[in-house]
Structures are given as C-alpha cells and as structure tokens.
Amino acid sequence: MQDRQLRARDMLRGDLEGEELERYVEERVVMTNLDKMLNWGRANSIFPLTFGLACCAIEAPISLVTARYDIARFGAEALRASPRQADMIILSGRVSIKMAPVVRRLYDQMLEPKWSMAMGACSSSAGMFSNYAVVQGADKFMPVDIYVPGCPPRPEAVLYGFTKLQRKIMGNPDPGWRRRYNAEGTEEWARGGPASTPSAVEAEAYERARELIGA
Amino acid sequence: VPDAPGLELIRGEIEGDHPGAVLDTSFDRGQAVLVVDPEQVLAVLGWLRDAPGQEYTFLSSLHVADYLPATPRFGVHYELLNRDRVERLRVKAMLSDPTAGLPEIDSCVSLFPTAEFQEREAYDFFGIVFRGHPDLTRILLPEDYVGWPQRRDFPVGGEPVTFTYNERAYG
C-alpha cells in the first residue's frame, strides 16, 4: 500500500520513466467508453423512492436499509422522499384500483432514467387478491423492469432482484423506458393529454422528429 | 347483553311508544337482536339512545349484509353499546331490493355522528341509500366506480388463475 502511494508520488513528481511508467499506467488506468461508465455509475448509485404500498413495505424499504441486510452494499441506501429525486420505485404490495393512478403519477414524475421493481406476488400478478378491488399486476398500468416473487419475498430475494436490475442497467445502454417498452409517442403531451395544451409546439416538433428518424 | 326476557321487555316498551316498530326479536348465542321496521328505525334507535334505563348511547358499528336469495334481501345492522352496563344490542332493519333504483333507509347521522363514514361505506359497497345523509358519496372505492361490489350477485372480478393442476384435470 505504501509502495503504491510512493509510486503515485513519484509519478506526480515526474520521476517515473520508461518501463516503470508503463507499468504504472497499466495498473492504474481502465479503458472503457462513456456509456459503460455512465451505466456503471447509474447501477451503483440508485436512489429508491421512499414508498410503501402494503405489507411488503415492511420488508422493502424498512428492513433492506437495516444493518442486517444493508442495501448500502449495492449503493442504494439513500431513499428519497420525492419522486423527482428517485431512480427506482419499489411496488411493495398490492395496488388497489384506487391507488393505481397515484402510483402511475409517481412513476411519471420520476426523472429518466428510472426503473421499477414489482416486489412480491401482489404487485406482480395480484397474488391472492383475484377480486374487483386490486389491479391484476402492476404492469397493467406502468412498465415494470423486474419482478421479485414471494409473499413477501425474503430481503435476500429483493437484494438478488436488485442486483439483477443492476445487471440490466449496466447491460442496457439505453435507459429510456419508452424505447425499452416500445412506447414512444405515449407521452402525455404527445398524445394530447392534460399537459398537451401549453406545449403544442413541442408536440409538433416531436412529431416531425419522429418522421425524420422514420419511426 | 340483555338476556332473552330483558329483550322481550325492551320490545314491549318500544311497542308502547312506537307501535309496530319492532317486527321480531331473536336471542341466539348470547346476542340480542331487534328486527325493526325500516321506516321506523330512527324512532327505535332514538328511543334506545334516550329512554331512561336504556341509554345505548354508543353506535359501535353500522354495517350491511346481503342475504341473497332471502327476501327481504339486505340487512342494515346497528350495533349499539351501553358503556355503563357494557351491554350490547343489535338492531336490524331488513330492506328489500326494489325493481328500479336502490334500497333506501333513513340516515342515523343525526343520532350518531359516527355513522357518517360507516353509512358511506355501506353505500359504497352495497348501494344502500341513506336518506338525509350529509354527503353520501363513495368512500373507499374510486369515485367513478360502477357497481356495488359486496353484493352477492356481483362478480368476484380479477382474472382466472391457471394452475397446471387445473389444466391437467379439466383440459
């Protein structure tokens, strides 16, 4: 360790030359491209949304940040209380039909790139709630990136799903969910939703851009 | 809980003040029930709340049950409690399902303010209209929900679950 530091000092002083300098560079520098570096950074600094839906919330945001399971090991210990600052939403529990628009709104308010995890049987497929009040799977109304089965899943399972999600983030250079899910053109302002009136010009520009890229 | 003779005494006293209000009584498994005429349910509840010696001043629950296929179909249950004697009494008003529109009954919010949310819940799930309720809207389901899902003839909803067992057994 001290040796490394001494050599770093020598390098800064300009004392390293020739073969020694070559070896120094080989040891210290990793070559990659910007996309990979960016995705590596994204995958390892996810801010989950402080958000609970039902009983799974005891497992997800609460026990995952405790010392026993410690999601900080994967760089996601900073839970954010605002969707504007969050990267990932964990759907921890059943989504009732009254809650679905609220969840969707939270997801829409999150900034890209964003990811979502359906945690437990209920948000994946409604679980045992096959009835009139519960949405039969959260992917009916919003994109879901990873499903973690269980009722509730063990914290280890959620962490495993989270590392899978990290792998997905690192492997996918395009983080926009609309492109991932073939849903371009469904933006609220592009399909004439409530936000379309003030930005009709933008919508027109968007349409022209889509024509140009041949979408 | 008033015992069975006590229940008959209460029935007799109500009969004196409000003739025809109590249709039936039942005393089963330690639970006393007065079955009352839905048109006079407010009079009975008010009497039970205010009459000296009764003073069932606490409405611990208001709920509805659907007794389909029995007629009349809906039972509106008022669970009354006297907190001094710790005595419980159930008042039950049976409502039939009208061919058009929704079954109606008088709201008891004027007697028991706690009934406001509980009557909204009953309206939400069973479609019982409480006449004179200050704000009879859906309380738990979305405002634009269609139907009364706790009625017995309401479809369960959701999606059929396909297990491999079902596929093997029924094709």
Side-chain angles (χ1 to χ4, degrees):
Chain A
M1 189 66 200
Q2 206 179 3
D3 182 48
R4 276 169 68 91
Q5 286 173 355
L6 286 176
R7 266 190 295 138
R9 190 195 64 190
D10 291 345
M11 200 280 296
L12 289 171
R13 283 178 176 170
D15 292 348
L16 287 187
E17 275 178 11
E19 204 172 306
E20 279 209 308
L21 185 61
E22 289 280 326
R23 209 175 69 223
Y24 180 86
V25 171
E26 259 177 42
E27 277 176 5
R28 301 296 178 96
V29 178
V30 176
M31 300 294 282
T32 181
N33 58 36
L34 185 65
D35 275 348
K36 275 188 185 163
M37 195 199 73
L38 217 57
N39 286 330
W40 175 82
R42 277 174 180 152
N44 288 293
S45 63
I46 283 183
F47 288 5
L49 185 63
T50 315
F51 173 69
L53 278 170
C55 32
C56 278
I58 310 292
E59 301 287 326
I62 297 169
S63 75
L64 281 184
V65 295
T66 57
R68 194 176 183 89
Y69 301 105
D70 197 13
I71 201 167
R73 290 178 293 160
F74 308 102
E77 76 277 21
L79 282 98
R80 293 287 132 175
S82 157
R84 297 290 188 200
Q85 300 174 345
D87 300 316
M88 178 176 75
I89 183 170
I90 300 178
L91 301 170
S92 48
R94 80 284 177 283
V95 189
S96 65
I97 55 169
K98 197 171 185 178
M99 194 65 186
V102 182
V103 178
R104 178 61 206 233
R105 171 144 238 169
L106 282 174
Y107 183 77
D108 285 345
Q109 284 176 340
M110 286 161 63
L111 300 183
E112 296 266 8
K114 56 188 174 185
W115 293 275
S116 64
M117 175 196 283
M119 177 190 171
C122 292
S123 55
S124 302
S125 68
M128 63 182 188
F129 298 109
S130 180
N131 64 24
Y132 62 91
V134 174
V135 179
Q136 305 293 300
D139 50 5
K140 290 264 194 298
F141 64 90
M142 66 179 273
V144 173
D145 287 299
I146 197 142
Y147 302 83
V148 179
C151 186
R154 292 278 312 166
E156 292 91 334
V158 182
L159 286 178
Y160 180 70
F162 183 75
T163 52
K164 284 276 185 195
L165 180 68
Q166 284 184 318
R167 191 166 294 193
K168 181 174 183 175
I169 296 168
M170 281 194 270
N172 189 351
D174 167 39
W177 70 264
R178 286 203 158 82
R179 198 174 300 170
R180 262 183 280 143
Y181 289 93
N182 215 2
E184 281 167 315
T186 61
E187 291 87 347
E188 204 169 84
W189 52 268
R191 59 182 157 78
S196 65
T197 327
S199 59
V201 183
E202 268 178 285
E204 210 179 294
Y206 178 82
E207 286 301 318
R208 202 170 304 137
R210 272 170 65 80
E211 278 172 28
L212 283 177
I213 62 169
Chain B
V1 181
D3 53 6
L7 185 64
E8 292 308 317
L9 280 177
I10 291 176
R11 178 188 188 171
E13 287 188 38
I14 298 176
E15 194 63 36
D17 289 353
H18 305 284
V22 178
L23 304 176
D24 197 7
T25 60
S26 89
F27 191 84
D28 187 27
R29 295 180 179 84
Q31 298 179 35
V33 182
L34 288 172
V35 181
V36 301
D37 177 10
E39 295 305 315
Q40 300 192 58
V41 66
L42 277 195
V44 175
L45 289 173
W47 187 88
L48 286 168
R49 187 187 74 165
D50 298 329
Q54 302 300 331
E55 281 147 4
Y56 290 90
T57 52
F58 183 61
L59 179 71
S60 58
S61 176
L62 185 158
H63 48 256
V64 176
D66 185 357
Y67 292 98
L68 190 79
T71 50
R73 181 176 161 185
F74 298 105
V76 184
H77 298 203
Y78 303 83
E79 309 284 347
L80 297 174
L81 172 66
N82 179 307
R83 289 188 290 181
D84 294 328
R85 309 192 299 267
V86 197
E87 281 186 1
R88 294 176 189 276
L89 181 62
R90 178 178 308 150
V91 176
K92 194 162 136 182
M94 299 301 289
L95 295 175
S96 53
D97 196 15
T99 46
L102 297 169
E104 290 189 7
I105 193 170
D106 284 326
S107 165
C108 68
V109 174
S110 52
L111 293 172
F112 302 101
T114 183
E116 184 182 347
F117 279 14
Q118 304 189 43
E119 286 181 350
R120 279 178 69 188
E121 187 185 346
Y123 168 76
D124 198 358
F125 287 123
F126 290 93
I128 309 284
V129 172
F130 290 89
R131 285 186 297 248
H133 189 282
D135 175 32
L136 196 65
T137 51
R138 289 195 183 269
I139 186 169
L140 289 168
L141 291 166
E143 289 78 6
D144 53 357
Y145 197 87
V146 178
W148 315 106
Q150 291 286 344
R151 289 188 180 192
R152 280 188 157 186
D153 52 2
F154 192 87
V156 173
E159 291 172 1
V161 184
T162 314
F163 294 107
T164 47
Y165 167 79
N166 302 52
E167 285 185 344
R168 265 203 313 273
Y170 308 108

